[in-house]
Amino acid sequence: MIGKLKGTVEAIGEAHVIIDVGGVGYEVQASARTLRALNLGQEVSLAIETHVREDAIRLFGFTSEVERAWFRTLQTIQGVGSKVALGVLGTLGPQDLATAIALQNWAAVEQSPGVGKKLAQRIVAELKDKAPALTVAGLATPMSNKGAGPAPGGEAAAEAISALTNLGYQPAQASQAVAVAITELGDVVDTAKLIRRGLKELAR
């Protein structure tokens, strides 16, 4: 199985990219968000998810391991295949998706191509307990090879979630409380403020 590709961007299509690795061109399916971050001739390193079928081998590429983890997790939901999962990740970045799930904001997920109201509601409902772990894993993970800035909340959010969990709250509760705090206080905020606002939310 191919788990990673490092090479040069040779061509970019509507839903795929060709990565030249040592003279061999690999066709990799990717989300719109990932494709927008790539340029012809750019040196890239993509995390790869390999799907083997009877009639084909398909490669899916991601700018981070956490994005690949979300791709896998989304497909555990009934009605979500690889195309829909890529559509969701093309509309919402991993951190935005985690926040939408924590806030049960199905309307944000519904903006993804191929996702209707019922499926969006199913996604946020069934993934609410899985989101915290993926959220913390992806907080300090760069979103592209262009050196994008940290995700909303950054390390402060991870520390706040950890602190609230240590106080006895469930990870899902802590994640949702911190997501609310970030929404109200903004992305640039310190850990102490997030914890205080998170505790206030949890006390409701």
Side-chain angles (χ1 to χ4, degrees):
M1 292 292 185
I2 297 174
K4 177 182 177 181
L5 282 179
K6 185 175 183 179
T8 305
V9 177
E10 188 171 275
I12 301 175
E14 290 186 8
H16 74 278
V17 59
I18 302 295
I19 306 295
D20 185 324
V21 182
V24 178
Y26 291 86
E27 180 176 318
V28 181
Q29 307 295 310
S31 71
R33 179 181 295 271
T34 295
L35 293 174
R36 287 195 298 269
L38 301 177
N39 294 307
L40 292 176
Q42 178 184 358
E43 292 294 322
V44 297
S45 178
L46 297 177
I48 299 295
E49 179 75 4
T50 304
H51 284 190
V52 179
R53 300 288 184 266
E54 291 184 2
D55 57 345
I57 296 177
R58 300 178 68 191
L59 305 180
F60 299 88
F62 308 93
T63 55
S64 67
E65 288 292 339
V66 73
E67 188 178 18
R68 180 170 68 170
W70 271 114
F71 178 72
R72 292 172 174 172
T73 301
L74 282 166
Q75 291 179 83
T76 64
I77 305 299
Q78 181 182 357
V80 178
S82 58
K83 185 176 181 180
V84 170
L86 284 181
V88 172
L89 291 171
T91 302
L92 298 170
Q95 185 59 35
D96 294 327
L97 178 57
T99 299
I101 292 171
L103 296 175
Q104 292 294 284
N105 181 12
W106 58 263
V109 180
E110 189 186 13
Q111 301 304 310
S112 308
V115 178
K117 179 179 178 180
K118 289 185 178 180
L119 182 55
Q121 291 176 330
R122 187 184 306 143
I123 289 172
V124 298
E126 294 188 19
L127 295 185
K128 64 181 180 181
D129 292 327
K130 297 181 180 180
L134 289 170
T135 301
V136 175
L139 283 171
T141 304
M143 279 303 299
S144 78
N145 294 306
K146 289 187 175 181
E155 294 182 5
E159 292 171 356
I161 292 173
S162 177
L164 293 174
T165 302
N166 289 336
L167 288 174
Y169 293 101
Q170 292 297 315
Q173 293 176 309
S175 178
Q176 182 170 346
V178 171
V180 171
I182 292 175
T183 300
E184 294 187 1
L185 300 175
D187 297 346
V188 183
V189 65
D190 60 41
T191 303
K193 289 182 179 178
L194 286 178
I195 293 174
R196 286 197 295 269
R197 182 61 188 86
L199 285 170
K200 182 179 179 181
E201 179 67 22
L202 290 165
R204 288 185 176 182

